[in-house]
Amino acid sequence: VRVFYQQSGEGPDVVLVHAVTSNQAVWVFSGLPEAIAAEGYRVTTYDLRGHGMSERPPTGYTSAVMAKD
């Protein structure tokens, strides 16, 4: 499954996961990734499968499958 993601900053990793009814743009428009990156972290935001710009396969929408993505 192709998963769309964006990263900013350098340092220890912080991953922001959006709610099931949203996509990674919620983080981008909030300014939170840049604020965290400014504190010395590498921030990753991504779209869960079937959301935003990620691939939309016909199955695999359980939390266990999306965690494996």
Side-chain angles (χ1 to χ4, degrees):
V1 173
R2 183 187 52 79
V3 175
F4 175 79
Y5 70 95
Q6 293 181 312
Q7 289 184 320
S8 60
E10 295 181 17
D13 286 304
V14 174
V15 179
L16 300 177
V17 182
H18 63 79
V20 173
T21 59
S22 185
N23 62 43
Q24 66 88 32
V26 70
W27 301 120
V28 174
F29 293 127
S30 75
L32 186 59
E34 292 79 14
I36 295 171
E39 295 295 321
Y41 295 91
R42 179 172 64 175
V43 182
T44 302
T45 61
Y46 70 99
D47 286 325
L48 295 167
R49 70 168 52 208
H51 294 76
M53 295 176 60
S54 287
E55 190 174 349
R56 291 172 176 77
T59 62
Y61 292 93
T62 65
S63 56
V65 172
M66 288 194 280
K68 289 179 182 178
D69 288 346

